[in-house]
Each structure stands twice: as structure tokens, then as C-alpha cells.
Amino acid sequence: RMRVQKLTSWRTAFIILTSQEPATKDLEKVLWAGELNIDGYIYKPFTPDKLLWKIIELLDIKKKLTPIYNLMHNEEYLKAIQCCIAQKNKIFTQNSQSNQKKYLADVIHLELVSYLKMKDYQWIVKLFREALTYKGSSITKKGWFLYFYAKSLYQLWEYSEAEKISESIKKVYPQYVKNYELLADIFHAQKKD
């Protein structure tokens, strides 16, 4: 809400401190937070050193992504997307190392959010399919990314593919309420029970 109402900029880092690993009751909150572009999670219990390390890591990424955040804050989503594409190309030309995987995931997330703001579902589908080709990245296994991929397929009337993805999300994330709502919409569109 703070970001949407412009009470803070996109550069502001948000970290969720959650009770346990995401296989528990907090899974819905973790997935929902992913949709909102939360910057990181720390599971309890944690040490002050772990929290400090996470803050330093996030501030470093935020600093690198400042131009994109500024464009998003000013609602210049097309320019933000162009910046994201340039950042991805830069990562790939630098022989991406393991520390670049998190950075790549953040860039993809910002690109996705920009497409969502523009309601450009076709490009969300393309972004997801492109991300499938990235070696060493698990971004396409993230529940929020799968959900928006399925939702975009639904918006593009690709109901059978959307249903297949939504059903796979249901198996992995059975508590993900928004996915059930999407699945109901897909069934309704196909006139299924």
C-alpha cells in the first residue's frame, strides 16, 4: 500500500520476518508478498548477523536497481522494462555467477511488475517462457511467477494451458487462495464445474 499510494519509493526495501519455512501456514503470506515485490524473507529464529547480512545484500541490489525503481515510481513502465532488458543482457554478458542469480530474479520481478501495471499479458507470457531458458535460475518455480503466468494465459483466452498451470500450482501450494479463484474463473470460462 505504501508503494501504491506513493508514500515511499520503489527503492525502499521491505523484508518479511515470518514464523517458519514456507511449507507451513505462512505460505499464503509469502506468495502474496512475492506478488507485491517484497525484497526478502527471513525465517524465525534468526540472528542479528543474519538480519544485518540480509539488509546489506538488499541495499546493494537496491543501489544497482535505482534507475528502474525511479522509472517505476514515476509510472514510466515502458522505460523501466527497457532498463530491465538492458540489465538482463548485462548479466548474461558477464558470465553470470551464483551471486547474480538473485539479482537476475529481482530484475525479472521488476519487469513482470511493469508488465502487470501496463496489463500487457502477452509479454508476461513471453517473459515467463524466456525465463525458462535461463540456466541456474529457479525464478520460474516461484509460486507468484507461475500464478501470473497462468493468469496471463487466462487473460489471453488460453484456458486449457492456464488450467494446467493453475492445477500444478494447486499441488505445490494448496493454501494459495488466489490460485483457487483463478481456477474457478478458468472453469467458468470453459463452462466446467
Side-chain angles (χ1 to χ4, degrees), residues 35-155:
E35 294 169 22
L36 296 177
N37 197 33
I38 297 302
D39 301 292
Y41 310 92
I42 297 181
Y43 303 106
K44 298 174 190 172
F46 59 89
T47 63
D49 286 343
K50 185 174 181 180
L51 178 60
L52 183 61
W53 175 83
K54 190 68 165 180
I55 291 169
I56 291 168
E57 176 190 46
L58 289 176
L59 290 177
D60 182 49
I61 290 171
K62 288 288 183 182
K63 187 177 177 183
K64 290 177 185 175
L65 295 173
T66 294
I68 299 170
Y69 287 121
N70 289 340
L71 290 167
M72 292 176 75
H73 185 74
N74 294 329
E75 299 181 9
E76 296 180 65
Y77 298 114
L78 191 56
K79 288 182 181 178
I81 289 165
Q82 291 166 346
C83 262
C84 288
I85 293 168
Q87 287 294 325
K88 287 188 304 187
N89 290 337
K90 188 175 176 183
I91 290 168
F92 293 128
T93 57
Q94 294 175 344
N95 289 332
S96 96
Q97 302 147 353
S98 60
N99 63 345
Q100 294 280 17
K101 289 178 191 172
K102 168 80 173 100
Y103 181 57
L104 175 62
D106 288 330
V107 171
I108 291 170
H109 201 164
L110 294 180
E111 187 176 356
L112 171 69
V113 170
S114 297
Y115 286 131
L116 284 169
K117 294 289 185 182
M118 296 172 57
K119 297 185 178 175
D120 195 334
Y121 302 110
Q122 193 168 8
W123 277 100
I124 293 170
V125 169
K126 287 181 182 180
L127 178 65
F128 185 88
R129 291 176 180 164
E130 173 190 306
L132 286 171
T133 66
Y134 298 157
K135 292 179 182 172
S137 175
S138 61
I139 185 99
T140 54
K141 294 179 183 165
K142 303 272 186 195
W144 52 264
F145 202 4
L146 283 165
Y147 169 77
F148 283 116
Y149 176 54
K151 187 166 185 160
S152 298
L153 289 167
Y154 165 75
Q155 293 291 340

Side-chain angles (χ1 to χ4, degrees), residues 24-40:
T24 66
K25 61 183 178 175
D26 275 353
L27 175 67
E28 176 73 16
K29 291 178 188 171
V30 170
L31 290 166
W32 179 67
E35 294 169 22
L36 296 177
N37 197 33
I38 297 302
D39 301 292

Side-chain angles (χ1 to χ4, degrees), residues 27 146 163-176 179-180 183 187:
L27 175 67
L146 283 165
E163 180 182 346
K164 187 171 122 184
I165 300 300
S166 189
E167 288 285 358
S168 72
I169 295 169
K170 185 175 80 171
K171 288 177 186 169
V172 180
Y173 305 108
Q175 301 104 323
Y176 199 5
N179 185 56
Y180 287 100
L183 201 50
F187 284 172

